[in-house]
Amino acid sequence: MGWKAFLSFLFFLLVIALLILYWFIPFDTVEFGTSISNPNFNLNSTSLNNMQFYSNLRYPDSEISYKIYDECTLQKKQDMERAFEIISNLTVLKFYSVNFNEGLSIFCDEKNKIENDLFIAGEGGPVNITQTDNFNVIFNARILLIQDFRCDIPNVAIHELLHALGFDHSSNKNNIMYPVTKCGQSIGEDIPYWVNYLYSFETLPDLSFENISAVMKGKYLDAEISIRNNGLKKTESVKIVIYADGKIIKEIPIESLEIGSGKIISLANIWITQLSIDEIKFVIDSNFDELDKSNNVAVLKTKK
Ligand SMILES: [Zn+2]
């Protein structure tokens, strides 16, 4: 064997050694069968917006007030408080007890209810929702705790709390939102992720124009303007300023608007000094932060 043949034999051995290292040394461990016990709400998560009764359901604020009514036993009261603790550890939400005007009301019923051969463990969901362009805003939700169900975590109370936060039932048996409660079900990762996404938007108002129409009659302008608060907080008072080619022609004061409420303003015979105008601009002049400021301006061009 010449030295060349010897070198290529050595090289061959080296390649074999590297291949053995590559194929047989376990750098990563793979656990088989994890997909069977996937606890998420969605088993094949394409969109996360399908988990709730309506799109983008949330309370105005991440701090939610609650009241547990006196009829609840100490055990149910403790289960509910433990559910609050678990959800606030997993998300940005905080829960605090009040005596009246609560955002979340918890009632209890000691009588067992049976439907389709199953014990009804509880009921829960939003009862007062205001629809806006950005969110469906929850003002009040109710929980009714019926059956005690002993697991390591208070599954029934958590399930009903998630309903109150707007979550629907999941078709995954391992998820806590499955219609039939069993110990061992868990919250998964997509529910806390979606809660944190929804509440990542600050509690701010959001005034925007809904419709604007304007007509010039000679030197007079007629206009109809509608605005709405699509935000998560009552607005302070603002003014709408109308410009004709950059020059202010009218200012209209608007008093504060609650979440979801709006106003229609009809204007007639505003005298315009310019001989001809190319554009009329409408501006919501607010001196507070909003979810979106870019929707505070609308421009109409005159048709030539
Ligand atoms: Zn349910």
Side-chain angles (χ1 to χ4, degrees):
M1 191 162 28
W3 64 276
K4 270 188 181 173
F6 179 69
L7 270 184
S8 41
F9 178 67
L10 264 186
F11 181 73
F12 173 75
L13 280 182
L14 187 74
V15 169
I16 294 292
L18 283 173
L19 272 176
I20 288 169
L21 217 70
Y22 182 76
W23 288 108
F24 301 107
I25 308 283
F27 290 110
D28 287 304
T29 53
V30 178
E31 216 178 312
F32 293 98
T34 44
S35 64
I36 296 163
S37 59
N38 177 357
N40 283 343
F41 185 105
N42 284 303
L43 281 172
N44 33 8
S45 61
T46 42
S47 154
L48 293 175
N49 205 359
N50 63 349
M51 293 189 280
Q52 295 188 294
F53 299 117
Y54 303 104
S55 62
N56 298 337
L57 261 172
R58 62 163 274 184
Y59 275 90
D61 203 87
S62 60
E63 296 192 7
I64 300 166
S65 63
Y66 71 88
K67 180 177 178 176
I68 303 175
Y69 282 75
D70 289 341
E71 70 213 32
C72 296
T73 58
L74 188 63
Q75 183 61 57
K76 282 179 181 161
K77 194 168 180 287
Q78 282 170 352
D79 280 356
M80 200 63 237
E81 277 162 357
R82 180 95 178 89
F84 288 139
E85 195 188 316
I86 288 167
I87 295 300
S88 49
N89 284 339
L90 286 173
T91 67
V92 296
L93 297 180
K94 295 279 169 279
F95 302 91
Y96 64 98
S97 165
V98 292
N99 287 324
F100 46 84
N101 270 336
E102 70 274 12
L104 178 53
S105 313
I106 297 106
F107 301 99
C108 296
D109 194 341
E110 293 311 307
K111 290 186 262 339
N112 284 333
K113 289 185 186 175
I114 298 171
E115 204 171 271
N116 300 330
D117 292 337
L118 291 169
F119 280 105
I120 306 291
E123 288 163 12
V127 287
N128 183 349
I129 299 170
T130 293
Q131 193 183 9
T132 75
D133 284 355
N134 299 312
F135 298 98
N136 281 293
V137 184
I138 307 170
F139 287 97
N140 183 257
R142 274 163 167 256
I143 288 175
L144 177 66
L145 295 177
I146 303 166
Q147 205 195 11
D148 278 332
F149 201 83
R150 302 264 53 87
C151 300
D152 293 341
I153 55 166
N155 286 34
V156 172
I158 296 170
H159 179 106
E160 302 312 335
L161 174 56
L162 290 172
H163 273 323
L165 294 171
F167 288 87
D168 203 345
H169 281 144
S170 162
S171 56
N172 180 5
K173 285 185 169 124
N174 301 313
N175 185 269
I176 202 147
M177 293 315 285
Y178 190 70
V180 180
T181 297
K182 284 193 179 82
C183 294
Q185 288 168 332
S186 73
I187 299 163
E189 287 176 352
D190 46 2
I191 292 175
Y193 181 89
W194 189 246
V195 168
N196 286 341
Y197 167 73
L198 286 179
Y199 289 85
S200 67
F201 297 91
E202 263 187 273
T203 304
L204 292 173
D206 187 20
L207 280 171
S208 60
F209 288 112
E210 286 201 306
N211 275 303
I212 295 181
S213 60
V215 185
M216 286 296 294
K217 291 173 185 162
K219 297 206 67 162
Y220 293 93
L221 173 75
D222 286 357
E224 190 156 290
I225 308 157
S226 62
I227 64 166
R228 204 151 99 96
N229 178 8
N230 286 305
L232 294 163
K233 192 182 174 184
K234 184 179 171 176
T235 66
E236 292 164 36
S237 53
V238 296
K239 62 185 178 188
I240 295 175
V241 186
I242 307 173
Y243 299 84
D245 284 348
K247 189 174 164 232
I248 295 176
I249 54 165
K250 184 88 182 163
E251 292 190 344
I252 308 139
I254 307 285
E255 69 274 24
S256 73
L257 291 170
E258 297 287 345
I259 297 169
S261 64
K263 197 165 174 65
I264 298 172
I265 304 122
S266 295
L267 301 165
N269 299 324
I270 305 169
W271 191 57
I272 308 231
T273 53
Q274 290 102 311
L275 283 172
S276 80
I277 49 167
D278 293 326
E279 72 164 43
I280 299 169
K281 187 163 79 171
F282 301 81
V283 177
I284 299 169
D285 188 0
S286 70
N287 53 10
F288 45 80
D289 283 343
E290 297 185 48
L291 287 175
D292 182 6
K293 279 269 192 189
S294 68
N295 55 19
N296 286 21
V297 179
V299 176
L300 296 182
K301 303 267 184 197
T302 41
K303 288 188 192 119
K304 290 270 160 77

Short mmCIF file of all heavy atoms in Angstrom, two decimals, residues 205-257:
data_model
loop_
_atom_site.label_atom_id
_atom_site.label_comp_id
_atom_site.label_asym_id
_atom_site.label_seq_id
_atom_site.Cartn_x
_atom_site.Cartn_y
_atom_site.Cartn_z
N PRO A 205 -58.93 56.49 25.04
CA PRO A 205 -60.05 56.75 24.14
C PRO A 205 -59.58 56.70 22.68
O PRO A 205 -58.36 56.66 22.43
CB PRO A 205 -60.51 58.16 24.50
CG PRO A 205 -59.46 58.75 25.36
CD PRO A 205 -58.46 57.70 25.72
N ASP A 206 -60.48 56.67 21.74
CA ASP A 206 -60.10 56.73 20.33
C ASP A 206 -61.23 57.36 19.50
O ASP A 206 -62.13 56.67 19.04
CB ASP A 206 -59.76 55.34 19.79
CG ASP A 206 -59.19 55.39 18.39
OD1 ASP A 206 -58.72 56.47 17.98
OD2 ASP A 206 -59.22 54.36 17.68
N LEU A 207 -61.15 58.66 19.36
CA LEU A 207 -62.15 59.35 18.55
C LEU A 207 -61.81 59.19 17.08
O LEU A 207 -60.65 59.27 16.70
CB LEU A 207 -62.18 60.84 18.90
CG LEU A 207 -62.95 61.22 20.17
CD1 LEU A 207 -62.71 62.67 20.51
CD2 LEU A 207 -64.44 60.96 19.99
N SER A 208 -62.83 58.91 16.26
CA SER A 208 -62.57 58.87 14.82
C SER A 208 -63.81 59.32 14.06
O SER A 208 -64.92 59.25 14.57
CB SER A 208 -62.13 57.47 14.38
OG SER A 208 -63.14 56.54 14.68
N PHE A 209 -63.57 59.79 12.82
CA PHE A 209 -64.69 60.17 11.96
C PHE A 209 -65.32 58.90 11.41
O PHE A 209 -64.63 57.98 10.99
CB PHE A 209 -64.19 61.02 10.79
CG PHE A 209 -63.78 62.41 11.19
CD1 PHE A 209 -62.45 62.79 11.14
CD2 PHE A 209 -64.73 63.33 11.62
CE1 PHE A 209 -62.08 64.08 11.50
CE2 PHE A 209 -64.36 64.62 11.98
CZ PHE A 209 -63.03 64.99 11.93
N GLU A 210 -66.65 58.86 11.38
CA GLU A 210 -67.32 57.72 10.76
C GLU A 210 -67.75 58.08 9.35
O GLU A 210 -67.53 57.32 8.42
CB GLU A 210 -68.55 57.33 11.59
CG GLU A 210 -68.18 56.62 12.88
CD GLU A 210 -69.33 55.81 13.41
OE1 GLU A 210 -70.41 56.37 13.59
OE2 GLU A 210 -69.12 54.60 13.63
N ASN A 211 -68.42 59.21 9.23
CA ASN A 211 -68.89 59.67 7.92
C ASN A 211 -68.76 61.17 7.84
O ASN A 211 -69.00 61.86 8.83
CB ASN A 211 -70.37 59.32 7.75
CG ASN A 211 -70.53 57.90 7.24
OD1 ASN A 211 -70.00 57.54 6.20
ND2 ASN A 211 -71.26 57.11 8.00
N ILE A 212 -68.40 61.64 6.66
CA ILE A 212 -68.37 63.07 6.43
C ILE A 212 -68.91 63.33 5.04
O ILE A 212 -68.53 62.65 4.07
CB ILE A 212 -66.94 63.64 6.52
CG1 ILE A 212 -66.41 63.49 7.94
CG2 ILE A 212 -66.92 65.11 6.12
CD1 ILE A 212 -65.02 64.06 8.13
N SER A 213 -69.83 64.29 4.92
CA SER A 213 -70.23 64.72 3.59
C SER A 213 -70.30 66.24 3.60
O SER A 213 -70.60 66.85 4.64
CB SER A 213 -71.57 64.11 3.19
OG SER A 213 -72.56 64.51 4.10
N ALA A 214 -69.97 66.87 2.49
CA ALA A 214 -69.99 68.33 2.42
C ALA A 214 -70.43 68.76 1.03
O ALA A 214 -70.12 68.11 0.04
CB ALA A 214 -68.59 68.87 2.73
N VAL A 215 -71.18 69.83 1.00
CA VAL A 215 -71.65 70.38 -0.28
C VAL A 215 -71.43 71.88 -0.27
O VAL A 215 -71.74 72.55 0.71
CB VAL A 215 -73.18 70.11 -0.48
CG1 VAL A 215 -73.63 70.58 -1.87
CG2 VAL A 215 -73.52 68.65 -0.28
N MET A 216 -70.88 72.41 -1.35
CA MET A 216 -70.72 73.86 -1.50
C MET A 216 -71.90 74.38 -2.31
O MET A 216 -72.21 73.86 -3.38
CB MET A 216 -69.42 74.19 -2.25
CG MET A 216 -68.15 74.02 -1.46
SD MET A 216 -67.99 75.13 -0.05
CE MET A 216 -67.86 76.72 -0.87
N LYS A 217 -72.56 75.43 -1.76
CA LYS A 217 -73.62 76.09 -2.52
C LYS A 217 -73.19 77.54 -2.66
O LYS A 217 -73.36 78.33 -1.73
CB LYS A 217 -74.95 76.00 -1.77
CG LYS A 217 -75.51 74.60 -1.70
CD LYS A 217 -76.73 74.59 -0.80
CE LYS A 217 -77.26 73.19 -0.61
NZ LYS A 217 -78.14 73.14 0.57
N GLY A 218 -72.61 77.87 -3.80
CA GLY A 218 -72.06 79.20 -3.98
C GLY A 218 -70.94 79.41 -2.99
O GLY A 218 -69.96 78.67 -2.99
N LYS A 219 -71.10 80.39 -2.09
CA LYS A 219 -70.06 80.67 -1.11
C LYS A 219 -70.39 80.05 0.26
O LYS A 219 -69.78 80.38 1.27
CB LYS A 219 -69.87 82.18 -0.96
CG LYS A 219 -69.39 82.82 -2.28
CD LYS A 219 -68.62 84.08 -2.05
CE LYS A 219 -67.32 83.75 -1.36
NZ LYS A 219 -66.30 84.71 -1.40
N TYR A 220 -71.37 79.17 0.28
CA TYR A 220 -71.79 78.57 1.55
C TYR A 220 -71.53 77.06 1.56
O TYR A 220 -71.69 76.38 0.54
CB TYR A 220 -73.28 78.84 1.80
CG TYR A 220 -73.56 80.30 2.04
CD1 TYR A 220 -73.92 81.14 0.98
CD2 TYR A 220 -73.44 80.85 3.31
CE1 TYR A 220 -74.14 82.49 1.19
CE2 TYR A 220 -73.68 82.19 3.54
CZ TYR A 220 -74.03 83.01 2.48
OH TYR A 220 -74.25 84.35 2.70
N LEU A 221 -71.12 76.58 2.74
CA LEU A 221 -70.81 75.15 2.90
C LEU A 221 -71.85 74.50 3.82
O LEU A 221 -72.16 75.01 4.89
CB LEU A 221 -69.42 74.99 3.51
CG LEU A 221 -69.00 73.58 3.90
CD1 LEU A 221 -68.66 72.74 2.68
CD2 LEU A 221 -67.82 73.60 4.86
N ASP A 222 -72.39 73.37 3.36
CA ASP A 222 -73.22 72.53 4.22
C ASP A 222 -72.41 71.25 4.50
O ASP A 222 -71.78 70.71 3.58
CB ASP A 222 -74.52 72.12 3.51
CG ASP A 222 -75.51 73.27 3.42
OD1 ASP A 222 -75.19 74.36 3.94
OD2 ASP A 222 -76.57 73.08 2.81
N ALA A 223 -72.44 70.76 5.74
CA ALA A 223 -71.67 69.55 6.03
C ALA A 223 -72.37 68.69 7.08
O ALA A 223 -73.12 69.21 7.93
CB ALA A 223 -70.27 69.91 6.53
N GLU A 224 -72.19 67.40 6.95
CA GLU A 224 -72.67 66.48 7.99
C GLU A 224 -71.49 65.61 8.42
O GLU A 224 -70.82 65.00 7.59
CB GLU A 224 -73.83 65.63 7.48
CG GLU A 224 -74.49 64.87 8.63
CD GLU A 224 -75.93 64.49 8.36
OE1 GLU A 224 -76.80 65.38 8.33
OE2 GLU A 224 -76.18 63.29 8.17
N ILE A 225 -71.28 65.60 9.73
CA ILE A 225 -70.10 64.91 10.28
C ILE A 225 -70.57 63.96 11.37
O ILE A 225 -71.37 64.34 12.22
CB ILE A 225 -69.13 65.93 10.95
CG1 ILE A 225 -68.81 67.09 10.00
CG2 ILE A 225 -67.87 65.26 11.43
CD1 ILE A 225 -68.37 68.34 10.75
N SER A 226 -70.08 62.71 11.35
CA SER A 226 -70.35 61.85 12.51
C SER A 226 -69.03 61.34 13.08
O SER A 226 -68.13 60.93 12.34
CB SER A 226 -71.29 60.71 12.16
OG SER A 226 -70.73 59.89 11.19
N ILE A 227 -68.92 61.42 14.40
CA ILE A 227 -67.71 60.91 15.07
C ILE A 227 -68.12 59.92 16.16
O ILE A 227 -69.26 59.91 16.62
CB ILE A 227 -66.83 62.04 15.69
CG1 ILE A 227 -67.56 62.77 16.81
CG2 ILE A 227 -66.37 63.01 14.64
CD1 ILE A 227 -66.60 63.63 17.64
N ARG A 228 -67.16 59.07 16.53
CA ARG A 228 -67.46 58.05 17.53
C ARG A 228 -66.22 57.76 18.36
O ARG A 228 -65.09 57.89 17.87
CB ARG A 228 -67.91 56.77 16.83
CG ARG A 228 -68.79 55.88 17.71
CD ARG A 228 -69.74 55.10 16.84
NE ARG A 228 -69.27 53.75 16.58
CZ ARG A 228 -69.68 52.69 17.30
NH1 ARG A 228 -70.51 52.83 18.30
NH2 ARG A 228 -69.25 51.49 16.99
N ASN A 229 -66.45 57.39 19.61
CA ASN A 229 -65.36 56.96 20.48
C ASN A 229 -65.22 55.44 20.37
O ASN A 229 -66.01 54.70 20.94
CB ASN A 229 -65.63 57.39 21.92
CG ASN A 229 -64.55 56.92 22.89
OD1 ASN A 229 -63.51 56.40 22.46
ND2 ASN A 229 -64.79 57.10 24.17
N ASN A 230 -64.23 54.98 19.62
CA ASN A 230 -63.98 53.53 19.46
C ASN A 230 -62.91 53.02 20.42
O ASN A 230 -62.30 51.99 20.18
CB ASN A 230 -63.55 53.26 18.02
CG ASN A 230 -64.72 53.36 17.06
OD1 ASN A 230 -65.74 52.70 17.23
ND2 ASN A 230 -64.60 54.21 16.06
N GLY A 231 -62.69 53.78 21.47
CA GLY A 231 -61.61 53.43 22.39
C GLY A 231 -62.06 52.65 23.60
O GLY A 231 -63.12 52.02 23.62
N LEU A 232 -61.23 52.71 24.65
CA LEU A 232 -61.45 51.92 25.86
C LEU A 232 -61.68 52.81 27.07
O LEU A 232 -61.65 52.34 28.21
CB LEU A 232 -60.22 51.03 26.09
CG LEU A 232 -59.97 49.95 25.04
CD1 LEU A 232 -58.54 49.43 25.12
CD2 LEU A 232 -60.96 48.80 25.23
N LYS A 233 -61.89 54.11 26.81
CA LYS A 233 -62.04 55.06 27.90
C LYS A 233 -62.89 56.23 27.41
O LYS A 233 -62.83 56.57 26.22
CB LYS A 233 -60.64 55.57 28.27
CG LYS A 233 -60.53 56.36 29.54
CD LYS A 233 -59.08 56.80 29.70
CE LYS A 233 -58.92 57.72 30.89
NZ LYS A 233 -57.52 58.21 30.97
N LYS A 234 -63.66 56.82 28.32
CA LYS A 234 -64.45 58.01 28.01
C LYS A 234 -63.51 59.13 27.54
O LYS A 234 -62.41 59.28 28.07
CB LYS A 234 -65.17 58.40 29.31
CG LYS A 234 -66.12 59.54 29.21
CD LYS A 234 -66.75 59.75 30.59
CE LYS A 234 -67.56 61.02 30.63
NZ LYS A 234 -68.24 61.19 31.93
N THR A 235 -63.95 59.91 26.56
CA THR A 235 -63.09 61.00 26.09
C THR A 235 -63.32 62.24 26.96
O THR A 235 -64.34 62.37 27.61
CB THR A 235 -63.42 61.41 24.64
OG1 THR A 235 -64.74 61.97 24.61
CG2 THR A 235 -63.36 60.24 23.69
N GLU A 236 -62.36 63.13 26.92
CA GLU A 236 -62.60 64.47 27.46
C GLU A 236 -63.23 65.28 26.34
O GLU A 236 -63.33 64.81 25.22
CB GLU A 236 -61.26 65.09 27.89
CG GLU A 236 -60.63 64.39 29.08
CD GLU A 236 -59.16 64.75 29.23
OE1 GLU A 236 -58.79 65.89 28.97
OE2 GLU A 236 -58.39 63.83 29.58
N SER A 237 -63.61 66.54 26.64
CA SER A 237 -64.21 67.33 25.57
C SER A 237 -63.13 67.74 24.56
O SER A 237 -61.96 67.90 24.91
CB SER A 237 -64.92 68.56 26.13
OG SER A 237 -64.04 69.26 26.96
N VAL A 238 -63.56 67.83 23.30
CA VAL A 238 -62.63 68.16 22.20
C VAL A 238 -63.31 69.20 21.32
O VAL A 238 -64.45 69.60 21.58
CB VAL A 238 -62.29 66.92 21.33
CG1 VAL A 238 -61.55 65.89 22.13
CG2 VAL A 238 -63.54 66.32 20.70
N LYS A 239 -62.62 69.63 20.27
CA LYS A 239 -63.32 70.42 19.26
C LYS A 239 -62.98 69.89 17.87
O LYS A 239 -61.90 69.34 17.65
CB LYS A 239 -62.99 71.91 19.40
CG LYS A 239 -61.55 72.26 19.23
CD LYS A 239 -61.31 73.73 19.50
CE LYS A 239 -59.81 74.03 19.37
NZ LYS A 239 -59.44 75.36 19.80
N ILE A 240 -63.96 70.03 16.99
CA ILE A 240 -63.72 69.69 15.59
C ILE A 240 -63.42 71.01 14.88
O ILE A 240 -64.18 71.99 15.01
CB ILE A 240 -64.95 69.02 14.95
CG1 ILE A 240 -65.20 67.67 15.63
CG2 ILE A 240 -64.75 68.82 13.45
CD1 ILE A 240 -66.46 66.96 15.15
N VAL A 241 -62.30 71.05 14.18
CA VAL A 241 -61.91 72.26 13.46
C VAL A 241 -62.03 71.99 11.96
O VAL A 241 -61.57 70.96 11.48
CB VAL A 241 -60.46 72.67 13.81
CG1 VAL A 241 -60.11 74.02 13.17
CG2 VAL A 241 -60.29 72.75 15.33
N ILE A 242 -62.71 72.89 11.26
CA ILE A 242 -62.86 72.73 9.80
C ILE A 242 -62.02 73.79 9.09
O ILE A 242 -62.09 74.98 9.42
CB ILE A 242 -64.34 72.86 9.38
CG1 ILE A 242 -65.22 71.90 10.19
CG2 ILE A 242 -64.50 72.57 7.88
CD1 ILE A 242 -66.71 72.08 9.95
N TYR A 243 -61.20 73.31 8.15
CA TYR A 243 -60.33 74.21 7.39
C TYR A 243 -60.76 74.19 5.92
O TYR A 243 -61.08 73.14 5.38
CB TYR A 243 -58.88 73.73 7.41
CG TYR A 243 -58.24 73.66 8.78
CD1 TYR A 243 -58.41 72.54 9.59
CD2 TYR A 243 -57.41 74.69 9.23
CE1 TYR A 243 -57.80 72.46 10.83
CE2 TYR A 243 -56.79 74.62 10.47
CZ TYR A 243 -56.99 73.50 11.27
OH TYR A 243 -56.37 73.43 12.49
N ALA A 244 -60.75 75.37 5.29
CA ALA A 244 -60.92 75.45 3.84
C ALA A 244 -59.60 75.95 3.28
O ALA A 244 -59.18 77.07 3.62
CB ALA A 244 -62.05 76.40 3.49
N ASP A 245 -58.93 75.10 2.51
CA ASP A 245 -57.59 75.41 1.99
C ASP A 245 -56.66 75.96 3.09
O ASP A 245 -55.99 76.97 2.91
CB ASP A 245 -57.68 76.39 0.82
CG ASP A 245 -58.16 75.69 -0.45
OD1 ASP A 245 -58.19 74.44 -0.46
OD2 ASP A 245 -58.50 76.39 -1.41
N GLY A 246 -56.66 75.31 4.21
CA GLY A 246 -55.73 75.67 5.27
C GLY A 246 -56.21 76.76 6.22
O GLY A 246 -55.58 77.02 7.24
N LYS A 247 -57.32 77.39 5.91
CA LYS A 247 -57.80 78.48 6.76
C LYS A 247 -58.99 78.01 7.60
O LYS A 247 -59.92 77.39 7.08
CB LYS A 247 -58.23 79.64 5.85
CG LYS A 247 -58.56 80.91 6.58
CD LYS A 247 -58.85 82.04 5.59
CE LYS A 247 -59.54 83.17 6.35
NZ LYS A 247 -60.76 83.62 5.74
N ILE A 248 -58.93 78.29 8.91
CA ILE A 248 -60.01 77.83 9.79
C ILE A 248 -61.32 78.53 9.44
O ILE A 248 -61.37 79.76 9.36
CB ILE A 248 -59.67 78.09 11.27
CG1 ILE A 248 -58.46 77.25 11.70
CG2 ILE A 248 -60.87 77.77 12.18
CD1 ILE A 248 -57.97 77.50 13.11
N ILE A 249 -62.37 77.73 9.20
CA ILE A 249 -63.67 78.35 8.91
C ILE A 249 -64.71 78.05 10.00
O ILE A 249 -65.71 78.73 10.09
CB ILE A 249 -64.22 77.93 7.52
CG1 ILE A 249 -64.27 76.40 7.37
CG2 ILE A 249 -63.40 78.56 6.41
CD1 ILE A 249 -65.12 75.95 6.21
N LYS A 250 -64.44 77.06 10.83
CA LYS A 250 -65.43 76.73 11.87
C LYS A 250 -64.79 75.85 12.95
O LYS A 250 -63.98 74.97 12.64
CB LYS A 250 -66.61 75.97 11.23
CG LYS A 250 -67.76 75.66 12.16
CD LYS A 250 -68.77 76.77 12.22
CE LYS A 250 -69.89 76.46 13.19
NZ LYS A 250 -70.64 77.67 13.55
N GLU A 251 -65.17 76.10 14.20
CA GLU A 251 -64.75 75.23 15.31
C GLU A 251 -66.00 74.79 16.05
O GLU A 251 -66.85 75.62 16.39
CB GLU A 251 -63.83 75.98 16.28
CG GLU A 251 -62.47 76.33 15.67
CD GLU A 251 -61.47 76.87 16.70
OE1 GLU A 251 -61.91 77.26 17.81
OE2 GLU A 251 -60.28 76.89 16.38
N ILE A 252 -66.11 73.47 16.28
CA ILE A 252 -67.32 72.95 16.93
C ILE A 252 -66.91 72.23 18.22
O ILE A 252 -66.18 71.23 18.15
CB ILE A 252 -68.07 71.96 16.02
CG1 ILE A 252 -68.32 72.59 14.64
CG2 ILE A 252 -69.38 71.52 16.64
CD1 ILE A 252 -68.11 71.64 13.51
N PRO A 253 -67.34 72.69 19.38
CA PRO A 253 -67.00 71.96 20.62
C PRO A 253 -67.83 70.68 20.75
O PRO A 253 -69.01 70.66 20.40
CB PRO A 253 -67.36 72.96 21.72
CG PRO A 253 -68.36 73.89 21.11
CD PRO A 253 -68.17 73.88 19.63
N ILE A 254 -67.17 69.61 21.20
CA ILE A 254 -67.84 68.31 21.41
C ILE A 254 -67.62 67.91 22.86
O ILE A 254 -66.48 67.81 23.30
CB ILE A 254 -67.25 67.21 20.49
CG1 ILE A 254 -67.23 67.63 19.01
CG2 ILE A 254 -67.93 65.87 20.70
CD1 ILE A 254 -68.56 67.59 18.31
N GLU A 255 -68.69 67.65 23.57
CA GLU A 255 -68.55 67.25 24.97
C GLU A 255 -68.03 65.80 25.03
O GLU A 255 -67.95 65.12 24.01
CB GLU A 255 -69.88 67.40 25.72
CG GLU A 255 -70.98 66.44 25.33
CD GLU A 255 -71.83 66.90 24.14
OE1 GLU A 255 -71.36 67.70 23.32
OE2 GLU A 255 -72.96 66.41 24.03
N SER A 256 -67.70 65.35 26.25
CA SER A 256 -67.08 64.02 26.37
C SER A 256 -68.02 62.91 25.90
O SER A 256 -69.24 63.01 26.04
CB SER A 256 -66.64 63.79 27.81
OG SER A 256 -67.76 63.56 28.61
N LEU A 257 -67.43 61.88 25.33
CA LEU A 257 -68.21 60.75 24.79
C LEU A 257 -67.80 59.46 25.50
O LEU A 257 -66.62 59.16 25.63
CB LEU A 257 -67.97 60.60 23.29
CG LEU A 257 -68.54 61.70 22.37
CD1 LEU A 257 -68.02 61.52 20.96
CD2 LEU A 257 -70.07 61.63 22.37
#
